[in-house]
Amino acid sequence: MIVCSCAQVSDRELRAAVKAAVKAGKPVNFRSVYRQMGKRARCGNCRPLVNPIIKQAHTGA
């Protein structure tokens, strides 16, 4: 499912980026996960949907 229409980011892509960040010992937050994917959130309207997915993937990673 697309969770960020500005950057065309899916929930699967987010989860994979979180797992890669954890594995690499990088920070796991909204901005760093987008950076990990090589993308940038523009409007920020996705943040309320994206943050719980990041948190869930991080605690389950």
Side-chain angles (χ1 to χ4, degrees):
M1 158 177 77
I2 296 292
V3 293
C4 174
S5 55
C6 292
Q8 293 298 303
V9 174
S10 71
D11 60 323
R12 289 182 190 165
E13 198 174 1
L14 274 174
R15 288 184 179 91
V18 169
K19 288 180 183 181
V22 168
K23 189 174 182 178
K26 294 183 178 181
V28 178
N29 57 52
F30 185 83
R31 185 173 285 167
S32 66
V33 170
Y34 268 77
R35 200 174 307 131
Q36 175 79 19
M37 295 183 292
K39 298 186 179 196
R40 188 174 142 249
R42 291 180 185 92
C43 71
N45 286 332
C46 61
R47 192 177 289 257
L49 184 58
V50 168
N51 279 337
I53 293 171
I54 290 172
K55 185 176 181 182
Q56 180 186 37
H58 187 234
T59 57

